[in-house]
Amino acid sequence: MGLFAHAFEKAAETPIVKDNPIQRRQFGLIGDSQLSFADLCVKVSHISDYVKSVGLKSGDTLLCQLPSTVENIVIILGALKAGLNVAPVPLWWRHGDLDPWITTLQPQALVTLGKTHLQNYSHRLCQLAVDHMSIRFIFGLGEELAEGISPLEPVLDGAYPANATHAEDLSDDIPEFGHIIFAGSKGQPVFHGISQLMATSAMHRDTLDLGPQDALLGCFPLSGLSGLGGMLFPWLASGATLHLHHPFDLDDFVANLGEQKISYTSLPPHLGVILLKRYGQGRELKHLRKLGFLYHPHQIEASANIPIVSGMEQFN
């Protein structure tokens, strides 16, 4: 995490990433809903050490299907630190989406949720794993994990299972960061390295004039360029505070904008139109300095008194 330390050097003990406690309970998650940079570094190291200790190697692939919570960020960064390639997929993907993607990527490990009020994610991935010989490990978070899945909550807290080697026993060789794997427009895997993501994120940060004084609200899932390239990595480059919002409804999103004094967020263009028409003059948006989109929608530009930023083309 030293790659990002300079951005957060003045706020090592201040919360820098937060998710919604109510939303996380709907996914059966317990534990901290906010982390300081110091906490983040410790938990990222726990994940990195653990995945190496169970036998995953630099260059292996981890497919991750999780909601937008602090654990998701920790697991993505921890796996990348261990040299793994990380393939985040949307939470709403079902068997028909996952099966061909797993066939294409041949991942060595999966991360999933347990049982929620909607479904049991872990059972679904266990059924998929039976048909894919590349999968050696399935890790999980939450309640009622399927048999055979290794829970990650103890790992996040530093309590390693008995079959794992402790960090001090690991090799001092630190591999290069892994890659993020996205699905391309034709379903092909597209690899983005950390250096590429950080370089473009620095451009995004500078365009938005983001700094430690800012509060960001991310509504895109942490599974595509919008959520990762457009929010997660610019946040890491800026030293701002990141608030995670799982996209349940617009009214809740708008309430978060006001309550958390959000200065920057990004939205799909059609939701941006609704947001600015319905709330554009309201107190909920009074702290919002800029609003980001995948592209520059003219129907919004004419009606907004908030600067519109189109910053995602550079990630394509």
Side-chain angles (χ1 to χ4, degrees):
M1 292 297 288
L3 184 64
F4 317 115
H6 68 282
F8 297 96
E9 60 187 355
K10 295 182 180 179
E13 303 300 328
T14 302
I16 58 162
V17 58
K18 305 177 182 181
D19 61 32
N20 188 311
I22 296 175
Q23 291 176 350
R24 67 186 284 109
R25 284 198 293 271
Q26 294 179 338
F27 293 115
L29 298 176
I30 58 175
D32 296 329
S33 64
Q34 62 181 34
L35 296 175
S36 68
F37 185 68
D39 294 332
L40 181 66
C41 289
V42 169
K43 292 181 182 294
V44 165
S45 291
H46 287 332
I47 292 294
S48 177
D49 293 340
Y50 176 69
V51 297
K52 289 185 290 184
S53 73
V54 298
L56 288 169
K57 307 293 186 183
S58 178
D60 284 347
T61 297
L62 174 74
L63 185 142
C64 184
Q65 187 178 37
L66 293 173
S68 295
T69 63
V70 295
E71 291 92 345
N72 196 350
I73 289 178
V74 169
I75 290 167
I76 289 174
L77 294 178
L80 290 172
K81 182 180 179 182
L84 304 186
N85 297 319
V86 181
V89 298
L91 200 60
W92 57 83
W93 274 22
R94 300 295 185 262
H95 186 282
D97 305 299
L98 289 164
D99 187 58
W101 193 228
I102 291 174
T103 299
T104 298
L105 295 181
Q106 294 293 298
Q108 285 69 41
L110 312 176
V111 183
T112 185
L113 280 177
K115 184 178 180 180
T116 72
H117 67 292
L118 298 173
Q119 60 185 298
N120 194 315
Y121 293 89
S122 63
H123 280 152
R124 183 174 65 210
L125 283 191
C126 280
Q127 292 168 357
L128 279 165
V130 171
D131 299 323
H132 295 276
M133 299 302 294
S134 69
I135 298 170
R136 297 159 48 210
F137 305 99
I138 306 180
F139 308 115
L141 293 169
E143 301 172 340
E144 298 185 40
L145 293 173
E147 185 177 356
I149 291 184
S150 301
L152 287 181
E153 282 92 351
V155 178
L156 290 167
D157 292 334
Y160 289 84
N163 64 337
T165 305
H166 286 279
E168 57 267 24
D169 299 323
L170 295 171
S171 168
D172 290 332
D173 294 334
I174 300 175
E176 293 185 3
F177 275 85
H179 293 74
I180 296 281
I181 306 174
F182 301 106
S185 58
K186 297 182 180 179
Q188 79 283 11
V190 178
F191 290 75
H192 284 255
I194 293 297
S195 58
Q196 177 189 6
L197 284 166
M198 288 305 295
T200 49
S201 293
M203 294 168 55
H204 203 51
R205 173 203 63 201
D206 294 342
T207 299
L208 297 167
D209 190 27
L210 297 177
Q213 75 283 356
D214 285 299
L216 318 182
L217 182 58
C219 75
F220 286 100
L222 297 174
S223 57
L225 279 174
S226 301
L228 294 169
M231 186 61 70
L232 178 65
F233 285 96
W235 160 66
L236 287 170
S238 71
T241 301
L242 175 62
H243 298 263
L244 297 168
H245 173 84
H246 192 78
F248 284 126
D249 63 76
L250 183 61
D251 289 338
D252 185 36
F253 178 79
V254 171
N256 278 334
L257 288 174
E259 291 168 5
Q260 307 299 338
K261 300 180 180 179
I262 300 299
S263 52
Y264 173 71
T265 190
S266 59
L267 284 171
H270 67 282
L271 284 181
V273 173
I274 296 172
L275 176 74
L276 293 171
K277 286 184 176 179
R278 188 181 299 176
Y279 302 99
Q281 304 302 321
R283 57 183 175 84
E284 296 91 349
L285 306 191
K286 69 177 183 178
H287 299 284
L288 199 61
R289 296 193 295 110
K290 290 183 180 178
L291 191 57
F293 295 97
L294 297 180
Y295 57 87
H296 204 153
H298 299 293
Q299 69 269 32
I300 293 180
E301 184 178 21
S303 63
N305 58 4
I306 299 169
I308 304 298
V309 177
S310 177
M312 287 303 300
E313 291 90 345
Q314 58 203 1
F315 292 95
N316 296 328

